[in-house]
Amino acid sequence: MKKISVLMAVTALATVMATSAWSKTLVYCSEGSPEGFDPAIYTAGTTFDASSRTVYSRLVEFKHGKTEIEPGLAESWTVSDDGKEYTFKLRPGVKFQTTDFFTPTRDLNADDVIFSFERQLKADSPWAKYVSGGSYEYAAGMGFPTLVKSVSKVDDLTVKFTLNKPEAPFMADLAMDFASIMSKEYADKLAADGKMGQLNQQPLGTGPFTFVAYQPDAVIRYKANDTYWHGKEKIDDLVFAITPDASVRVQKLKAGECQIMPYPNAADVKDLKADTSLKVLDQPGLNVSYLAYNTLIAPFDKPEVRKALNMAINKQAIVDAVFQGAASVAKNPIPPTMWSYNDAVQDDKYDPDAAKKMLADAGVKDLKMKIWAMPVSRPYMLNARRAAELMQSDLAKVGVTVEIVTHEWADYLKLSSAKDRDGAVILGWTGDNGDPDNFLDTLLGCDAVGGNNRAQWCNKEFDDLTKKAKQTADVAERTKFYEQAQVVFKREAPWGTIDHSTEFVPMSAKVSGYVQDPVGVHRFDGVDIAE
């Protein structure tokens, strides 16, 4: 079966390349398959790369390589004095993509914006659970259903968001992937035809590239959107060659089978930099990797047990083995490059003897636990299996027996969110909007339990601090709240923080216009490749 799958993947890519031989084609060796193509029901960067950053646009966008926002589908906006009303003027004449499966009959208007958000906000929307087992995890985890009072149409090109309370990061939130704007006309046609699930399989938006075809676990093909509101892209065809193995991605890059790849093994970076046919971009990642305990299940419901396990794990050894120095040990849930980082927080010192005593004092003996290891490389954790093996060895020294488990990537993300999940899960996060809220509340807030909050940790003191921070626009005040929240986090230890990594993106020297993104997505708008 494996040989057949590999052959199909090679054949599919060859077919794509052959049919695109007369056009300018860029091949990206993606690290994994998307869970789907509706970015509102997922949170993984792999899925965003294949959906929101290719096919879709948002009301506001992040500037290339920055976390500052700029006009997108909205050409201007105003905010009321009380910070509760945001009124957006839509860009006139924006076209939805024409595809083999749908031909739009009208331009973007306010109805599309309202549909895109109301389906995520209203539990009684027919689109609330249109994908089996799917949910609007991001919107729910950020508290949007209670934050947003209404999304209303002023006229065809004017939309007003009314909030129940001020929300300092709201504009940055609207530039995030879950806020991508869908075509209501397309959605209505799918609903009428009884094919609602197609919205997640055959995407259609206003973004730089038009979806053409997807062969699962093999190839995704796009073409430049001729009617893109920002102007047609320089490359004609964009191909995602799905290649989970980092070593194989390197081989393909060197052989010219792809022009850009993400997440190389740390051991390969030096050789890639030495290859004159390539160039390697790098920057400190706006990220964190962590081990999330399920705080709803004994004995992980006790902070002293969680802290003892943290003290038993040699994080520096993980950084050295997995990243070969291209990362730093993490002590806080936000990276040190982010404003409000509390450097005064003291990390849990690696001390196996003290950890063993703490476990005994907590009445924990002969503990058996599972550690979940991701099956894919991510910028914040290049080799979760190796990290889990090192944790397994460390914890054995304090009398804890660890079983390492994993699942296919989509299942891993889904199952790890469950409130009854066993053991601790290795995961991580790359910031989506440059705001501390996107880490602290999104990953650890009470609203995110059962979703992004893999620790299932709801602490009122912590939650009150992050909620207060969101409701004030004063950065100095917000900083104080977030600094206090980090102290609470470290005291309660819902995670074992692991690392903050440097991110590398190797590519052909023929590629131009590619900009590393601080929020970790891979964007191909503005990219060109020499003939």
Side-chain angles (χ1 to χ4, degrees):
M1 289 295 290
K2 183 177 287 188
K3 290 182 179 178
I4 292 173
S5 297
V6 171
L7 179 60
M8 288 174 65
V10 172
T11 302
L13 182 56
T15 300
V16 167
M17 295 304 292
T19 57
S20 303
W22 60 86
S23 60
K24 187 177 288 189
T25 301
L26 179 78
V27 181
Y28 169 64
C29 275
S30 171
E31 78 284 3
S33 300
E35 302 150 276
F37 290 91
D38 180 351
I41 56 178
Y42 304 109
T43 63
T46 304
T47 298
F48 293 158
D49 290 345
S51 59
S52 46
R53 297 299 165 172
T54 49
V55 177
Y56 295 106
S57 306
R58 288 141 293 281
L59 291 173
V60 292
E61 302 283 1
F62 291 120
K63 294 180 180 178
H64 261 303
K66 300 181 184 297
T67 54
E68 300 170 41
I69 61 169
E70 63 182 359
L73 296 177
E75 59 183 6
S76 64
W77 55 88
T78 58
V79 184
S80 63
D81 291 341
D82 65 1
K84 293 183 181 181
E85 291 186 355
Y86 291 72
T87 304
F88 295 88
K89 285 288 184 182
L90 301 182
R91 194 178 296 275
V94 174
K95 309 292 184 186
F96 281 99
Q97 299 145 358
T98 296
T99 67
D100 291 341
F101 48 86
F102 186 74
T103 300
T105 64
R106 63 165 177 80
D107 294 347
L108 169 84
N109 67 29
D111 294 331
D112 302 305
V113 178
I114 293 169
F115 165 74
S116 299
F117 285 93
E118 282 195 343
R119 69 194 185 112
Q120 304 183 57
L121 303 175
K122 295 187 174 182
D124 60 352
S125 164
W127 291 91
K129 295 183 178 179
Y130 81 98
V131 173
S132 178
S135 66
Y136 298 111
E137 182 179 339
Y138 224 132
M142 296 175 69
F144 262 52
T146 54
L147 170 68
V148 181
K149 183 178 182 179
S150 65
V151 187
S152 57
K153 179 178 181 176
V154 178
D155 57 47
D156 275 354
L157 292 177
T158 310
V159 181
K160 181 167 71 174
F161 287 72
T162 303
L163 309 185
N164 286 309
K165 58 186 178 182
E167 181 88 349
F170 184 68
M171 285 299 297
D173 292 345
L174 294 184
M176 291 166 57
D177 303 85
F178 81 98
S180 297
I181 304 303
M182 304 281 191
S183 164
K184 183 179 187 296
E185 183 186 21
Y186 177 46
D188 287 347
K189 180 66 165 58
L190 293 178
D193 292 346
K195 298 179 179 178
M196 294 172 71
Q198 192 170 307
L199 190 70
N200 191 39
Q201 299 164 2
Q202 293 183 312
L204 182 147
T206 61
F209 296 96
T210 300
F211 174 85
V212 176
Y214 172 43
Q215 181 174 330
D217 302 323
V219 176
I220 315 171
R221 184 182 176 189
Y222 311 85
K223 63 181 180 181
N225 178 8
D226 291 335
T227 60
Y228 182 38
W229 58 270
H230 214 288
K232 183 180 179 293
E233 293 301 322
K234 296 175 182 178
I235 54 176
D236 300 298
D237 293 286
L238 173 64
V239 178
F240 278 37
I242 297 167
T243 314
D245 189 299
S247 298
V248 177
R249 292 200 295 276
V250 168
Q251 292 170 13
K252 287 185 175 182
L253 181 66
K254 284 178 166 288
E257 295 176 25
C258 61
Q259 287 78 50
I260 303 178
M261 65 159 286
Y263 320 130
N265 289 322
D268 292 329
V269 171
K270 183 177 180 181
D271 180 55
L272 289 165
K273 286 184 173 181
D275 190 328
T276 56
S277 69
L278 305 175
K279 56 185 175 182
V280 181
L281 305 185
D282 65 83
Q283 68 177 12
L286 195 71
N287 61 38
V288 65
S289 177
Y290 58 79
L291 180 71
Y293 305 103
N294 188 340
T295 61
L296 296 179
I297 294 178
F300 309 109
D301 55 340
K302 297 180 179 180
E304 60 269 30
V305 172
R306 302 192 295 262
K307 289 186 78 70
L309 296 174
N310 289 347
M311 292 170 64
I313 295 171
N314 187 343
K315 295 190 288 188
Q316 187 62 55
I318 294 174
V319 166
D320 292 343
V322 175
F323 295 94
Q324 300 196 9
S328 59
V329 167
K331 66 179 180 180
N332 287 326
I334 63 174
T337 53
M338 177 167 276
W339 63 270
S340 83
Y341 180 83
N342 190 345
D343 198 35
V345 167
Q346 295 296 308
D347 202 4
D348 296 317
K349 184 180 179 181
Y350 173 56
D351 189 339
D353 292 335
K356 194 170 185 178
K357 184 178 185 303
M358 282 183 69
L359 288 173
D361 290 346
V364 175
K365 296 193 304 181
D366 302 320
L367 175 62
K368 292 180 174 61
M369 64 178 289
K370 292 180 180 179
I371 288 182
W372 292 38
M374 297 182 301
V376 298
S377 299
R378 302 302 301 141
Y380 46 75
M381 179 48 67
L382 299 178
N383 190 333
R385 179 78 192 191
R386 179 63 180 137
E389 290 170 348
L390 292 168
M391 294 178 188
Q392 182 183 51
S393 176
D394 286 340
L395 290 169
K397 296 171 186 174
V398 299
V400 177
T401 302
V402 169
E403 176 189 356
I404 299 172
V405 299
T406 193
H407 298 274
E408 292 295 324
W409 185 223
D411 289 337
Y412 189 96
L413 292 169
K414 180 180 178 181
L415 296 171
S416 64
S417 295
K419 292 182 181 180
D420 61 352
R421 185 206 73 233
D422 52 358
V425 59
I426 296 175
L427 252 178
W429 194 257
T430 298
D432 287 313
N433 62 12
D435 196 286
D437 172 74
N438 185 241
F439 284 79
L440 298 175
D441 191 56
T442 298
L443 302 180
L444 293 157
C446 293
D447 289 335
V449 169
N452 282 332
N453 188 339
R454 260 59 180 202
Q456 316 301 341
W457 181 66
C458 179
N459 179 281
K460 187 177 186 305
E461 182 182 3
F462 179 92
D463 212 57
D464 286 348
L465 288 166
T466 59
K467 293 295 189 289
K468 288 176 183 176
K470 290 170 70 166
Q471 292 178 42
T472 176
D474 186 279
V475 174
E477 280 298 302
R478 295 187 73 203
T479 295
K480 291 178 184 177
F481 288 131
Y482 288 137
E483 287 177 342
Q484 293 173 48
Q486 289 167 74
V487 172
V488 176
F489 166 87
K490 204 65 188 180
R491 184 189 74 219
E492 298 297 316
W495 295 350
T497 49
I498 303 173
D499 70 82
H500 308 293
S501 71
T502 299
E503 297 184 14
F504 297 96
V505 184
M507 66 191 68
S508 166
K510 294 180 180 180
V511 172
S512 61
Y514 182 91
V515 179
Q516 263 191 294
D517 203 300
V519 300
V521 296
H522 297 88
R523 292 174 57 176
F524 303 98
D525 51 316
V527 176
D528 198 3
I529 184 167
E531 298 285 357

